Amino acid sequence: MFESIQPAPADPILGLTEAFKADPNPQKINLGVGVYQDSTGKTPALSCVRKAGELLARSDAGSSYLPIPGLAEYTSAVQQLAFGSAHEVVTSGRAFSAQTPGGTGALRVVGDFLAANMPGTTLWVTDPTWANHANIFSAAGVSLAKFPYFDKANNSLALADMLDALQKIPAGDAVLLHGCCHNPTGVDPTQEQWEKIADVLYAQQLLPVLDFAYQGFGDGIDEDAVGLRTVARQGEEFILCSSFSKNFGLYNQRVGAATFVATDAERANVVGSQVKRAIRANYSNPPAHGARLVAAVLGDDDLRSEWHTELTAMRNRINGMRSLLVDKLAEKSVPGDYSFIKAQRGMFSFSGLTKEQVLALRERHAIYIVDSGRINVAGITESNVDRLTEAIADVVGG
Ligand code: LMR
């Protein structure tokens, strides 16, 4: 039966981790997958999360199934964190949130929801976007199209081209934007630009879908929510996909959420019934532990403030490494001006390295970065930055 099955290509991001693990070079560097590493190259559990885990271990939360949309205290905390607790979206009850297995799970729930309830909807994604977006939505049977986002020549947002393209999208289609820390480019709209984008989206009757996986990694928790809070206009519908992999360091717990914001609470209930149906047919109901951890941290003043401190430390380390990378590239006289990397936001640097240069880095130097030239800045340390920049000098110089 299986003789005719052809091997699938390796995943462009997670496949790199496999290749990295298999590489015997002791000096290898993994700057592929977006996982935070500290200055020693480790991905430790956050202290606030460890403390929450101890609290949970002392209580008996039970082992029965969670409801289909997950833990209510978690989904309510998700909404408050994203919008702010006094926001109309939260207080009106017009948002339905479901806990999902990671941000990927949230996106897939959205894909299944669109395919079942809004068939024929095309999902428009930024060019470029996270490599897994196309996989997720194609697997759900949603067709995809791209719109311009990144101005390669100036390493900036291609706002005019983007607005022009959005104006041509047929009413009823969905548009996937990154809430902050655009993956892979690290280029986000300003609040003013978000206003313009939201104007076009709603004038064209498009459904915004915001992928929000890096809250707190750009400029701060509230600062990074400016985009989605700008899109969250009175009476308008949109979808938000949240992930706590990065900002809580809960990569392997798969903690995410899909929030469907409807025109009113009654509509939100109807939409929620279809979301539950999509979830039941997929993974039935979500796993409990990671969401309990997030709810415990966000529900306790001390743990929450410790989380803010730890998140700030992660953000500051990444930004410090961003500057160090740019300085070292200049110091080593690597051809080209890389100063734009300092303005990028989030975990990644869209370096401008070509695919050939990326492959040469891998083959000649055992340095693993994504084919698009995306570097996980969080994987840079004071101990590997010299080797990294010397290797970049080697591949860029020929
Ligand atoms: C990434 O872009 O590296 C992360 O979102 C991890 C992943 O699953 O690809």
Side-chain angles (χ1 to χ4, degrees):
M1 299 282 270
F2 293 154
E3 321 68 69
S4 59
I5 310 283
Q6 297 300 309
D11 183 81
I13 298 175
L14 298 185
L16 272 186
T17 309
E18 291 168 31
F20 172 80
K21 283 191 177 147
D23 190 330
N25 186 330
Q27 295 209 291
K28 62 190 176 177
I29 303 175
N30 187 6
L31 305 177
V33 67
V35 172
Y36 179 80
Q37 293 165 42
D38 64 16
S39 55
T40 67
K42 298 228 164 57
T43 306
L46 298 188
S47 158
C48 62
V49 168
R50 281 207 306 270
K51 287 181 190 161
E54 284 158 18
L55 288 175
L56 291 180
R58 286 203 292 274
S59 65
D60 179 11
S63 297
S64 182
Y65 294 123
L66 291 187
I68 298 173
L71 264 190
E73 57 266 43
Y74 165 79
T75 46
S76 142
V78 168
Q79 289 188 9
Q80 293 182 32
L81 189 66
F83 299 102
S85 47
H87 197 285
E88 169 276 327
V89 161
V90 178
T91 55
S92 63
R94 69 182 181 100
F96 175 89
S97 293
Q99 177 195 332
T100 57
T104 300
L107 291 160
R108 180 58 192 258
V109 167
V110 171
D112 289 344
F113 172 88
L114 292 177
N117 299 282
M118 297 164 63
T121 300
T122 294
L123 180 82
W124 294 76
V125 298
T126 61
D127 183 15
T129 194
W130 180 43
N132 209 23
H133 279 147
N135 289 335
I136 295 168
F137 286 95
S138 312
V142 175
S143 44
L144 282 115
K146 290 182 199 169
F147 60 91
Y149 182 85
F150 184 61
D151 174 353
K152 219 171 170 176
N154 298 303
N155 291 294
S156 62
L157 188 71
L159 185 70
D161 288 351
M162 175 180 176
L163 293 176
D164 194 44
L166 291 178
Q167 259 149 14
K168 298 191 179 110
I169 298 179
D173 275 355
V175 175
L176 180 61
L177 292 157
H178 301 219
C180 68
C181 307
H182 182 268
N183 179 3
T185 66
V187 172
D188 291 332
T190 61
Q191 182 166 8
E192 251 178 21
Q193 292 170 332
W194 273 112
E195 293 283 1
K196 290 188 176 140
I197 295 166
D199 284 347
V200 176
L201 291 174
Y202 294 129
Q204 287 299 111
Q205 298 181 333
L206 303 172
L207 176 67
V209 180
L210 293 155
D211 186 353
F212 195 41
Y214 294 88
Q215 186 176 11
F217 273 81
D219 293 303
I221 302 202
D222 289 317
E223 293 83 344
D224 291 353
V226 157
L228 68 101
R229 291 177 192 175
T230 305
V231 168
R233 289 189 181 165
Q234 195 97 30
E236 299 290 5
E237 297 172 332
F238 64 96
I239 300 174
L240 176 69
C241 296
S242 310
S243 164
F244 294 99
S245 297
K246 278 86 179 174
N247 53 15
F248 274 81
L250 285 170
Y251 303 90
N252 59 18
Q253 291 290 347
R254 313 308 299 135
V255 197
T259 297
F260 292 72
V261 182
T263 43
D264 56 38
E266 203 181 316
R267 271 284 99 200
N269 270 336
V270 176
V271 169
S273 69
Q274 291 292 351
V275 173
K276 288 198 279 186
R277 189 181 191 189
I279 291 173
R280 177 65 170 145
N282 185 350
Y283 52 87
S284 193
N285 47 69
H289 189 65
R292 282 186 178 139
L293 290 170
V294 171
V297 171
L298 293 180
D300 178 285
D301 286 346
D302 291 342
L303 291 180
R304 190 188 174 100
S305 112
E306 187 171 3
W307 174 59
H308 284 195
T309 308
E310 294 190 276
L311 182 52
T312 304
M314 290 196 277
R315 178 173 68 244
N316 289 346
R317 197 188 95 71
I318 293 175
N319 287 336
M321 288 303 111
R322 217 174 251 298
S323 295
L324 185 64
L325 173 65
V326 175
D327 295 348
K328 290 277 181 184
L329 287 168
E331 193 182 298
K332 301 214 158 46
S333 307
V334 176
D337 175 9
Y338 290 89
S339 56
F340 63 87
I341 289 178
K342 285 193 192 174
Q344 295 172 341
R345 282 285 162 269
M347 212 177 241
F348 305 115
S349 145
F350 206 48
S351 64
L353 291 170
T354 63
K355 190 167 173 190
E356 290 66 39
Q357 292 165 342
V358 168
L359 292 180
L361 277 177
R362 209 173 297 164
E363 276 150 26
R364 302 216 289 260
H365 300 281
I367 293 174
Y368 291 76
I369 72 173
V370 179
D371 284 0
S372 63
R374 188 195 83 171
I375 292 177
N376 174 20
V377 183
I380 303 176
T381 63
E382 256 121 25
S383 348
N384 67 21
V385 71
D386 282 310
R387 195 172 114 64
L388 169 66
T389 42
E390 273 151 29
I392 294 178
D394 173 48
V395 302
V396 169

